[in-house]
Amino acid sequence: MAKTPNYIKAAFLLPANLVGLTTAAMSSAVTQEPLPMLVALGVEGLYLGVLSSMKRFQRAVRANTPDNPEAARAAVDALLADLAPSQRDHYQQLVGLKEKILANYRKLPGGRVLVADSEPKLDALLTSFLRLISALNQYRTYLSGSDREHLTGEVAALEAEVAQEANPRLKEVKDKRVEILRKRLVRFEQAGESREMVSHQLAGIEDLMRLTHEQSIAIRDPESVNRQLDVLSAETEATDETVRQMERFLDFTEETRGPLPHGGTRVR
């Protein structure tokens, strides 16, 4: 059985955390005052406890743990658990296509080598597919119609108050709040555009997997496989960048990790 990753250790070893501790230690050494280091240690305990218990951070650590297939499988299962049944069905269809593609590659000269080179790239694309869906679901929550309508009404009401406000100090405060609310409305517009883009990228991944499968049926030249894999890698890079942009937009701290294995996972 795979060993559970040490999440506290992983949080401690993050570069930003090590830099912060080093800075505090140097400050105490230079000033010969223990206070900066004592404060840093107090904050460190809280930081390690909170970050190491976050599910998103734990999933990122598991996905980035080498030679731990069970942990990687758990990361895939965690992503699948958050999906709607129809989304899981789409994923399982793509996993089936992956298995058929590899089976066709095995029939070619040097098939074992082709499969060894192909499977990680197919898994990377499937990982991107899952993470895109997860980000898309987060966006749908963020873009809930009731919240947006409430915010629009709040802006209109507050603008009316500002127009009638006689107290200069209150007017200034309300003006600032209107500005903040308007920025939130802009974020809604940006999120809506990103959601549409992700929907098309998800459809593009499905189309690409189906095309790769169709090509693998009649392919006879191993070199053609390499060209197909280059296309898969390019699509993975594009979708991973989209996920990073969406997560930054939603103030997520987890960065996209390496590909996860996508064989034999079934959600009932």
Side-chain angles (χ1 to χ4, degrees), residues 1 29 32 36 38 41 61 63-64 69 72 88 94 121 131 135 148 165 167 169 175 193 200 205 210-211 225 248:
M1 184 174 180
Q32 296 185 346
L38 291 175
L41 290 176
V61 172
N64 204 39
R88 294 175 197 158
L94 296 184
K121 295 181 180 180
R131 287 175 172 147
R148 185 171 185 176
E165 183 60 61
N167 187 315
R169 294 181 63 186
D175 269 330
E193 293 174 0
H200 284 293
I205 289 176
R210 296 185 191 284
L211 175 62
V225 175
R248 285 195 296 268

Side-chain angles (χ1 to χ4, degrees), residues 78-177:
L79 284 167
L80 285 171
D82 294 334
L83 303 187
S86 60
Q87 293 173 331
R88 294 175 197 158
D89 289 342
H90 275 124
Y91 166 78
Q92 297 295 356
Q93 291 173 14
L94 296 184
V95 171
L97 286 176
K98 167 202 161 181
E99 300 299 339
K100 292 177 181 178
I101 291 168
L102 295 179
N104 290 332
Y105 285 171
R106 289 189 185 96
K107 301 174 184 177
L108 297 173
R112 290 186 178 180
V113 175
L114 289 176
V115 168
D117 192 31
S118 304
E119 187 164 15
K121 295 181 180 180
L122 290 166
D123 280 343
L125 193 60
L126 289 172
T127 299
S128 294
F129 183 83
L130 281 182
R131 287 175 172 147
L132 274 175
I133 292 181
S134 178
L136 182 62
N137 289 342
Q138 292 282 351
Y139 260 45
R140 284 172 175 164
T141 300
Y142 179 81
L143 290 169
S144 61
S146 59
D147 289 345
R148 185 171 185 176
E149 291 175 4
H150 174 75
L151 182 59
T152 302
E154 193 174 5
V155 170
L158 196 55
E159 286 175 338
E161 288 185 25
V162 170
Q164 299 176 4
E165 183 60 61
N167 187 315
R169 294 181 63 186
L170 283 176
K171 184 178 179 66
E172 181 181 359
V173 171
K174 290 180 179 180
D175 269 330
K176 289 182 179 178
R177 187 172 171 218

Side-chain angles (χ1 to χ4, degrees), residues 30-256:
V30 171
T31 62
Q32 296 185 346
E33 290 288 342
L35 184 59
M37 194 60 195
L38 291 175
V39 172
L41 290 176
V43 174
E44 179 72 6
L46 179 62
Y47 155 80
L48 292 177
V50 171
L51 186 61
S52 63
S53 63
M54 291 176 62
K55 291 184 178 180
R56 182 171 292 276
F57 176 75
Q58 292 178 357
R59 189 171 66 197
V61 172
R62 289 195 301 267
N64 204 39
T65 301
D67 302 322
N68 196 346
E70 291 187 22
R73 180 68 56 211
V76 172
D77 290 341
L79 284 167
L80 285 171
D82 294 334
L83 303 187
S86 60
Q87 293 173 331
R88 294 175 197 158
D89 289 342
H90 275 124
Y91 166 78
Q92 297 295 356
Q93 291 173 14
L94 296 184
V95 171
L97 286 176
K98 167 202 161 181
E99 300 299 339
K100 292 177 181 178
I101 291 168
L102 295 179
N104 290 332
Y105 285 171
R106 289 189 185 96
K107 301 174 184 177
L108 297 173
R112 290 186 178 180
V113 175
L114 289 176
V115 168
D117 192 31
S118 304
E119 187 164 15
K121 295 181 180 180
L122 290 166
D123 280 343
L125 193 60
L126 289 172
T127 299
S128 294
F129 183 83
L130 281 182
R131 287 175 172 147
L132 274 175
I133 292 181
S134 178
L136 182 62
N137 289 342
Q138 292 282 351
Y139 260 45
R140 284 172 175 164
T141 300
Y142 179 81
L143 290 169
S144 61
S146 59
D147 289 345
R148 185 171 185 176
E149 291 175 4
H150 174 75
L151 182 59
T152 302
E154 193 174 5
V155 170
L158 196 55
E159 286 175 338
E161 288 185 25
V162 170
Q164 299 176 4
E165 183 60 61
N167 187 315
R169 294 181 63 186
L170 283 176
K171 184 178 179 66
E172 181 181 359
V173 171
K174 290 180 179 180
D175 269 330
K176 289 182 179 178
R177 187 172 171 218
V178 168
E179 183 181 355
I180 293 173
L181 293 178
R182 285 173 178 167
K183 288 181 179 179
R184 289 185 61 195
L185 283 175
V186 171
R187 283 173 64 87
F188 270 111
E189 294 296 333
Q190 293 172 341
E193 293 174 0
S194 297
R195 182 179 64 177
E196 184 177 0
M197 179 181 66
V198 169
S199 296
H200 284 293
Q201 281 190 301
L202 286 168
I205 289 176
E206 291 192 58
D207 292 339
L208 181 58
M209 288 289 290
R210 296 185 191 284
L211 175 62
T212 303
H213 171 241
E214 291 166 1
Q215 292 175 335
S216 71
I217 295 174
I219 200 168
R220 294 293 180 267
D221 179 15
E223 184 60 32
S224 298
V225 175
N226 293 328
R227 290 194 292 270
Q228 291 177 357
L229 297 182
D230 289 340
V231 174
L232 293 175
S233 296
E235 182 64 23
T236 299
E237 291 178 6
T239 53
D240 281 354
E241 178 57 27
T242 299
V243 171
R244 284 191 287 269
Q245 291 175 359
M246 296 181 76
E247 290 181 342
R248 285 195 296 268
F249 180 86
L250 294 171
D251 295 325
F252 293 161
T253 57
E254 173 193 344
E255 290 189 356
T256 303

